[in-house]
Amino acid sequence: MTAQAPAEELVLHELSAGILRIVLNSPQTANAIAPEQRDRIIELFDQADTDPEVRVVVIASTGRHFCSGANVSGIGNNGAEKRVGDTMRRIMGGAQQLIAAVLDCGKPVIAAVQGPAAGLGAHLAFACDLVVAAESAAFIEAFVLRGLVVDAGGAYLLPRRIGLQKAKELAFLGDRLPAEEALALGLVNRVVPAEQLRPTVDEFAQRLAAAPTSAIALTKKLFNRSLDADRDESFLLEGMAQEMQSHAHDSSEGVAAFMERRAPRFKGW
């Protein structure tokens, strides 16, 4: 059996001009994510969260597929008796941690979806702040097709993104959702021809890399938290976030630039 390539080769990354580009690089498995790859992606997001040089994260992939889900080929119990809680611990410590790493990253995250995204792959895209899809992209809630319960944060993400009824339809039937239909549902931000995917993502990334990163980070936390908070909590958190950002360099720079009628020069802090 061919040895598995190291995670560093299967998950590429490059930081340039404030843009961290993470690339799934296992097209031979339709970019299915094995545990080692998953842990590497989580590590990269954790590093991006605290690295001031990172202003925006892009997650993309090579080949025809964006991500076909979790790679379960190496998962087994090797004949050992399955214990109650094993599966729960694996999911909560694995796929859910990956989705949480994207949601909790203090930098804006863009997904560049060039092809099918299934199961965990679809949820990885939906967890991102902006999603740009090629016309050839599609999203599939594949769990039911394998006799499985939706996981990888799907029960949290889908109803909040598209409402309960449509979420049930996708999860219960497992139908292929083309990019244009995903756009109509609000699951993606842009659908473009394949040759325009990279330029469109780059334009978003460059704009975000020049933006006030700390303000966007706080806004991201406010929006994500608002899905689970009542009005009083949302208003309180909004006031606290404004208080914090008012002490930032970019807040002073933004006001000064407005008064001086010039373009702001944000530093990200």
Side-chain angles (χ1 to χ4, degrees):
M1 184 168 61
T2 304
Q4 172 89 349
E8 289 76 11
E9 295 180 14
L10 300 177
V11 180
L12 308 176
H13 71 284
E14 178 186 17
L15 176 61
S16 177
I19 302 169
L20 175 64
R21 190 172 177 86
I22 300 173
V23 181
L24 308 181
N25 186 41
S26 53
Q28 70 280 1
T29 64
N31 290 311
I33 299 176
E36 296 79 8
Q37 294 163 271
R38 177 200 66 216
D39 293 344
R40 180 58 177 156
I41 299 169
I42 293 172
E43 180 183 28
L44 289 170
F45 271 103
D46 288 346
Q47 292 173 356
D49 186 49
T50 58
D51 186 350
E53 297 301 314
V54 177
R55 306 282 290 276
V56 58
V57 180
V58 173
I59 184 155
S61 56
T62 60
R64 190 170 69 87
H65 295 78
F66 175 70
C67 175
S68 60
N71 188 336
V72 298
S73 61
I75 298 176
N77 59 11
N78 298 318
E81 184 178 359
K82 189 173 182 178
R83 299 170 299 174
V84 174
D86 284 350
T87 300
M88 183 178 72
R89 282 187 289 270
R90 177 169 57 81
I91 295 298
M92 294 185 70
Q96 290 180 358
Q97 289 296 315
L98 173 57
I99 299 305
V102 179
L103 291 171
D104 295 340
C105 182
K107 311 298 168 66
V109 184
I110 306 171
V113 184
Q114 86 283 18
L120 170 61
H123 299 170
L124 179 60
F126 297 157
C128 294
D129 303 302
L130 298 175
V131 183
V132 181
E135 293 171 337
S136 55
F139 303 89
I140 309 164
E141 291 297 315
F143 303 97
V144 70
L145 305 178
R146 309 290 182 262
L148 300 173
V149 174
V150 64
D151 68 32
Y156 178 85
L157 290 170
L158 284 172
R160 287 166 169 78
R161 296 293 189 269
I162 58 176
L164 193 57
Q165 294 305 113
K166 195 64 180 181
K168 288 179 180 178
E169 178 185 335
L170 295 181
F172 291 1
L173 301 178
D175 290 340
R176 182 186 182 93
L177 184 71
E180 288 289 352
E181 292 185 28
L183 177 66
L185 288 172
L187 284 169
V188 305
N189 299 87
R190 299 285 189 278
V191 175
V192 297
E195 64 273 14
Q196 289 300 312
L197 181 62
R198 178 65 184 258
T200 303
V201 171
D202 285 350
E203 180 184 2
F204 272 138
Q206 288 161 8
R207 289 179 63 183
L208 289 169
T213 309
S214 59
I216 290 175
L218 289 169
T219 300
K220 175 176 178 174
K221 289 184 182 297
L222 287 174
F223 279 10
N224 287 349
R225 181 61 190 163
S226 74
L227 300 172
D228 303 302
D230 60 22
R231 186 184 70 181
D232 288 344
E233 182 178 353
S234 290
F235 278 19
L236 173 62
L237 294 175
E238 183 180 282
M240 293 173 66
Q242 279 285 25
E243 169 65 27
M244 293 171 64
Q245 183 63 19
S246 71
H247 299 281
H249 166 275
D250 285 350
S251 179
S252 299
E253 168 61 13
V255 172
F258 174 77
M259 297 299 293
E260 297 166 12
R261 298 184 179 181
R262 60 173 174 80
R265 296 182 290 273
F266 294 125
K267 295 184 178 180
W269 48 270

